[in-house]
Amino acid sequence: MSDFRHAVRVYVEDTDAGGIVYYANYLKYMERARTEYLRSLGYAKPALFDGLQFVVRDVSVRYLKPALLDDYLQITAILTAVSRVSFEMQQSIFCGKQLLARGAIKAACIAETTKRPARLPQEMFEALKSYIA
Amino acid sequence: MSDFRHAVRVYVEDTDAGGIVYYANYLKYMERARTEYLRSLGYAKPALFDGLQFVVRDVSVRYLKPALLDDYLQITAILTAVSRVSFEMQQSIFCGKQLLARGAIKAACIAETTKRPARLPQEMFEALKSYIA
Amino acid sequence: MSDFRHAVRVYVEDTDAGGIVYYANYLKYMERARTEYLRSLGYAKPALFDGLQFVVRDVSVRYLKPALLDDYLQITAILTAVSRVSFEMQQSIFCGKQLLARGAIKAACIAETTKRPARLPQEMFEALKSYIA
Amino acid sequence: MSDFRHAVRVYVEDTDAGGIVYYANYLKYMERARTEYLRSLGYAKPALFDGLQFVVRDVSVRYLKPALLDDYLQITAILTAVSRVSFEMQQSIFCGKQLLARGAIKAACIAETTKRPARLPQEMFEALKSYIA
């Protein structure tokens, strides 16, 4: 079970002419939180390691309330499923106690050179399974 | 019924260290295509107009095959639903005949100053309804 | 004289297919550091405040060595000049003790509505002058 | 001598909460134009080819007037210098006849694997020299 939270400040780069955070940029925040969550579990370079990489297969986001310039956000990451070749996480974006957005992703492991599906390292598979919420 | 397609070249800015287009950047391509589709229907400044703006409420993307540097992509946009305060579109990303990703979005109309829900202009509502696939 | 440093982690979003941080993204890091430096001086929302905004008039960057995925960077910000309508900063990007890039920017104050040149608030002008290196 | 121009539409992704194009994004536009210019000279994959890649060593931009959402821009690219290991270009960004920004870059050739300086292929060096303005 995870209470992992990663803090993110909203900078000008993240906003758009509508005065809010651009919708694609929430996916950046979500990935930062996933990266830091995996780092906290001991995977220091989770995006590219040992000839493997994770690619997102599915993402969905529901936007409830816009984040604004200078907001200080908290992004959660919870492991909800792990298989031999993929994992799933649920994530939420908060400003204070206000829930701004909720999302889910499924990431698959592929070989860096061939870009074809590959198995998670056995110890990573076992470890991630033990962290499922 | 729409056969709208918008062409996008993949530049270095779009790619990541995994050698593929970064997952959030497909949402940029999808929005460019929606913008050009609405422009083709006569809405020259569809993102911000008459004190209104559209914000995305829901997005989902399934990634089937990665786009690569210098790929020349075609992004479709099809209106699938329109209400007084929102519309929905389905979108696909192709490289040649290969389907790379599929997505769906729901966008809501809000007032630019208050950021609260607002009605689509009547003529826009009527027009968009007539374009539903 | 400023020893201000802002820490930045390199995430996948920042990198490109060349395996390094995309050259435009160093400007994002530099702006985050400027923002946090001004925040540390008491300007909580330095980008947009009191109907004023700062826009960059000039930027130059020399790239010495590429930043890589997962690098933990330190970005400095030093005020080098202040006028009634603008300020200048010099910035460096370090990974450990290694200097990766050096840059300089000049930012001008404009009115948010008209986008025309505007004076810095008097107390801000006085305060910034006192921080010149 | 080059009259090369590349057209770019400003989308929401490019803008910021100040209502203008974010300053780092002009560097994206400039790189798109350089890429298309090199493509027009016969270099179909100019960013990464034959184990080589180009990295920017120096960039400078002067911002004269902000680009706005939905603007249709023209970006020029002119070769001003070529050596065995680098080239330089000058670039301008126009909206209609209005000059919005001017920049200059120096890009160096490096080996993709070692990231160390490398020579341009001889025929590319000769060809680029013949295009110097």
Side-chain angles (χ1 to χ4, degrees):
Chain A
M1 169 57 206
S2 156
D3 286 299
F4 186 81
R5 286 177 172 237
H6 175 65
V8 163
R9 175 72 73 175
V10 176
Y11 294 108
V12 177
E13 67 188 79
D14 302 311
T15 61
D16 67 28
I20 60 180
V21 171
Y22 183 63
Y23 88 124
N25 292 339
Y26 293 80
L27 275 69
K28 295 184 178 179
Y29 297 165
M30 289 165 62
E31 202 210 20
R32 293 182 204 172
R34 294 196 301 273
T35 301
E36 294 303 334
Y37 177 43
L38 291 171
R39 199 189 313 277
S40 77
L41 301 180
Y43 302 99
K45 294 172 179 268
L48 287 167
F49 62 97
D50 297 346
L52 301 173
Q53 70 184 104
F54 284 108
V55 291
V56 174
R57 282 282 178 244
D58 284 287
V59 67
S60 62
V61 181
R62 170 154 295 182
Y63 303 89
L64 304 170
K65 202 171 155 18
L68 305 177
L69 183 61
D70 292 311
D71 276 357
Y72 192 69
L73 308 176
Q74 301 282 342
I75 325 292
T76 67
I78 300 175
L79 263 172
T80 53
V82 178
S83 80
R84 296 278 173 189
V85 294
S86 67
F87 66 79
E88 296 175 42
M89 287 197 190
Q90 285 184 5
Q91 303 197 253
S92 296
I93 300 178
F94 291 91
C95 184
K97 292 183 175 177
Q98 179 93 48
L99 178 63
L100 303 188
R102 264 199 314 265
I105 68 105
K106 179 176 182 175
C109 187
I110 64 172
E112 198 182 336
T113 47
T114 65
K115 308 295 182 204
R116 305 188 70 167
R119 286 183 160 236
L120 274 70
Q122 179 70 15
E123 69 72 31
M124 190 181 200
F125 169 68
E126 300 290 353
L128 292 187
K129 263 207 325 191
S130 74
Y131 290 110
I132 288 181
Chain B
M1 171 56 207
S2 157
D3 285 299
F4 187 82
R5 288 179 170 234
H6 175 66
V8 163
R9 175 73 72 174
V10 175
Y11 294 109
V12 176
E13 68 188 78
D14 302 310
T15 61
D16 67 29
I20 60 180
V21 170
Y22 183 64
Y23 88 123
N25 291 340
Y26 294 80
L27 276 67
K28 295 184 179 179
Y29 298 164
M30 289 164 63
E31 202 210 20
R32 293 182 203 173
R34 293 196 300 274
T35 301
E36 294 303 334
Y37 177 42
L38 291 172
R39 198 188 314 275
S40 76
L41 301 181
Y43 301 99
K45 293 172 179 268
L48 288 166
F49 62 99
D50 297 346
L52 301 173
Q53 70 183 106
F54 284 107
V55 290
V56 174
R57 281 284 178 242
D58 284 287
V59 68
S60 63
V61 180
R62 169 153 295 182
Y63 302 88
L64 304 170
K65 201 171 155 22
L68 306 176
L69 182 62
D70 292 313
D71 275 356
Y72 192 70
L73 308 176
Q74 301 282 342
I75 325 293
T76 66
I78 300 175
L79 263 172
T80 53
V82 178
S83 81
R84 296 280 173 189
V85 295
S86 67
F87 66 79
E88 296 175 42
M89 286 196 193
Q90 286 184 3
Q91 302 196 255
S92 296
I93 300 178
F94 291 92
C95 184
K97 291 183 175 177
Q98 179 92 47
L99 178 63
L100 303 188
R102 264 199 316 264
I105 68 106
K106 179 176 182 174
C109 187
I110 64 173
E112 197 182 336
T113 48
T114 64
K115 308 292 183 205
R116 307 189 70 168
R119 288 185 158 232
L120 273 71
Q122 180 70 16
E123 68 74 30
M124 189 181 200
F125 169 69
E126 301 289 354
L128 292 188
K129 261 205 328 188
S130 75
Y131 290 110
I132 289 181
Chain C
M1 171 55 208
S2 156
D3 285 300
F4 186 82
R5 286 177 172 237
H6 175 65
V8 163
R9 175 72 73 175
V10 176
Y11 294 108
V12 177
E13 68 187 77
D14 302 310
T15 60
D16 67 31
I20 60 180
V21 170
Y22 183 63
Y23 88 123
N25 292 340
Y26 294 81
L27 274 68
K28 295 184 178 179
Y29 297 164
M30 290 165 61
E31 201 208 21
R32 293 183 203 173
R34 293 196 300 272
T35 302
E36 293 303 334
Y37 177 42
L38 290 172
R39 198 187 316 276
S40 77
L41 300 182
Y43 302 99
K45 293 172 180 269
L48 288 167
F49 62 98
D50 297 346
L52 300 173
Q53 70 183 104
F54 283 107
V55 290
V56 174
R57 283 283 178 243
D58 284 286
V59 68
S60 63
V61 181
R62 169 154 296 182
Y63 303 89
L64 304 170
K65 203 171 154 19
L68 305 177
L69 183 62
D70 291 311
D71 276 356
Y72 192 69
L73 308 176
Q74 301 283 342
I75 325 292
T76 67
I78 300 176
L79 262 173
T80 53
V82 178
S83 79
R84 297 279 172 188
V85 294
S86 67
F87 67 78
E88 297 176 40
M89 287 198 192
Q90 286 185 3
Q91 304 196 253
S92 296
I93 300 178
F94 291 92
C95 184
K97 291 184 175 176
Q98 178 93 48
L99 178 63
L100 302 187
R102 264 199 313 265
I105 68 105
K106 179 176 182 175
C109 187
I110 65 173
E112 197 181 337
T113 48
T114 63
K115 307 295 183 204
R116 305 189 70 168
R119 287 185 159 234
L120 274 71
Q122 179 70 17
E123 69 72 32
M124 189 180 200
F125 169 68
E126 300 290 353
L128 292 187
K129 263 207 324 191
S130 75
Y131 290 110
I132 288 183
Chain D
M1 171 57 206
S2 157
D3 285 299
F4 186 81
R5 288 177 170 237
H6 175 66
V8 163
R9 175 73 73 176
V10 176
Y11 294 108
V12 177
E13 68 187 78
D14 303 309
T15 61
D16 67 30
I20 61 180
V21 170
Y22 183 63
Y23 88 123
N25 291 340
Y26 294 81
L27 275 67
K28 296 184 178 179
Y29 298 164
M30 288 165 62
E31 201 210 20
R32 292 182 203 173
R34 292 196 301 273
T35 301
E36 294 303 335
Y37 176 42
L38 291 172
R39 198 187 315 276
S40 77
L41 300 182
Y43 302 99
K45 293 172 180 267
L48 288 167
F49 62 98
D50 297 347
L52 301 174
Q53 70 184 106
F54 284 106
V55 291
V56 174
R57 282 284 177 242
D58 284 287
V59 67
S60 62
V61 181
R62 170 153 294 181
Y63 303 89
L64 304 170
K65 204 170 155 18
L68 306 176
L69 182 61
D70 292 312
D71 276 356
Y72 192 70
L73 307 177
Q74 300 283 342
I75 325 294
T76 67
I78 299 176
L79 264 173
T80 53
V82 178
S83 80
R84 295 279 173 188
V85 294
S86 67
F87 66 78
E88 297 175 42
M89 286 196 193
Q90 285 185 5
Q91 303 195 255
S92 296
I93 300 178
F94 291 91
C95 185
K97 291 184 175 176
Q98 179 93 47
L99 177 64
L100 302 187
R102 264 199 314 265
I105 68 104
K106 180 177 182 175
C109 187
I110 65 173
E112 198 181 336
T113 48
T114 64
K115 307 294 182 202
R116 305 188 70 167
R119 288 185 159 232
L120 273 71
Q122 179 70 15
E123 69 73 31
M124 189 181 200
F125 169 68
E126 300 289 353
L128 293 187
K129 261 206 328 190
S130 74
Y131 290 109
I132 289 182

